[in-house]
């Protein structure tokens, strides 16, 4: 989603003008409202003169021309930085999407591993219970006759 008027005039007028009112006057004289810029009244906020405060938001092309008309060196630096950033954004978003896919795959793998571990513990517990039941059956039916060997192994306390 692209924002049509991303730049607030308050953040850039001082690059080219000595006062904001001069910047606003130049904006209104040289650019088209609704195409190059959008004024937005701030409800409840007033300027020192008691008028409603208005924020002006510029399109990127308007900002470029607005700066280029007054201060060429500032515009050159801005343009270089802006275009380097614009070139990198698709790469960053692609790597971000790839990272998200990788994270999702790792989360699925982690969940499968947790489930396998849970089943392993259940099986181990059942195996121990089965061995205990078998041993108990052998002892109860007097089929187990190696008590001395059993005591020597340290399993049973004397």
């Amino acid at each position: 989603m692209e924002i049509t008027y991303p730049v607030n005039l308050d953040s850039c007028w001082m690059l080219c003008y000595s006062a904001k009112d001069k910047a606003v006057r130049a904006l209104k004289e040289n650019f088209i409202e609704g195409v190059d810029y959008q004024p937005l009244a701030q409800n409840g906020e007033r300027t020192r003169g008691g008028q409603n405060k208005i924020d002006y938001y510029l399109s990127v092309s308007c900002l470029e021309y607005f700066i280029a008309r007054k201060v060429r060196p500032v515009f050159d630096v801005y343009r270089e930085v802006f275009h380097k950033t614009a070139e990198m954004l698709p790469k960053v978003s692609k790597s971000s999407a790839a990272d998200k896919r990788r994270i999702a795959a790792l989360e699925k793998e982690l969940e499968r591993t947790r489930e396998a571990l849970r089943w392993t513990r259940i099986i181990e517990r059942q195996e121990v219970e089965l061995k205990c039941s078998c041993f108990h059956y052998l002892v109860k039916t007097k089929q187990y006759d190696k008590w001395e060997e059993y005591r020597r192994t340290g399993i049973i306390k004397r």
Side-chain angles (χ1 to χ4, degrees), residues 92-110:
V92 170
S93 73
K94 283 181 186 174
S95 68
S96 178
D99 290 343
K100 286 179 183 177
R101 285 192 301 273
R102 180 79 174 129
I103 288 169
L106 289 171
E107 285 174 343
K108 284 182 183 177
E109 186 177 335
L110 179 62

Side-chain angles (χ1 to χ4, degrees), residues 27-118:
L27 186 66
K28 289 179 178 180
E29 289 173 3
N30 298 308
F31 298 96
I32 302 168
E33 182 179 330
V35 175
D36 297 315
Y37 71 94
Q38 185 71 44
L40 294 174
Q42 300 301 312
N43 293 336
E45 290 188 43
R46 299 198 177 268
T47 62
R48 281 187 247 172
Q51 298 175 342
N52 283 336
K53 184 176 188 253
I54 298 175
D55 284 338
Y56 293 88
Y57 289 89
L58 314 176
S59 66
V60 173
S61 60
C62 176
L63 172 68
E64 290 178 351
Y65 188 70
F66 192 65
I67 294 172
R69 291 187 70 228
K70 290 290 193 176
V71 187
R72 187 66 192 191
V74 171
F75 174 72
D76 291 339
V77 170
Y78 159 78
R79 191 143 180 104
E80 183 178 332
V81 170
F82 176 80
H83 288 290
K84 292 254 189 239
T85 304
E87 288 171 9
M88 291 189 68
L89 281 176
K91 293 176 187 171
V92 170
S93 73
K94 283 181 186 174
S95 68
S96 178
D99 290 343
K100 286 179 183 177
R101 285 192 301 273
R102 180 79 174 129
I103 288 169
L106 289 171
E107 285 174 343
K108 284 182 183 177
E109 186 177 335
L110 179 62
E111 190 57 39
R112 282 192 302 269
T113 303
R114 283 183 179 149
E115 189 65 16
L117 179 62
R118 187 175 78 83

Side-chain angles (χ1 to χ4, degrees), residues 13 15 45 57 59 68 73 107 112 122 124 130 148 152 154 156:
W13 65 263
L15 295 171
E45 290 188 43
Y57 289 89
S59 66
E107 285 174 343
R112 282 192 302 269
I122 290 170
E124 285 176 351
L130 179 62
E148 290 304 318
R152 255 195 344 259
I156 191 167

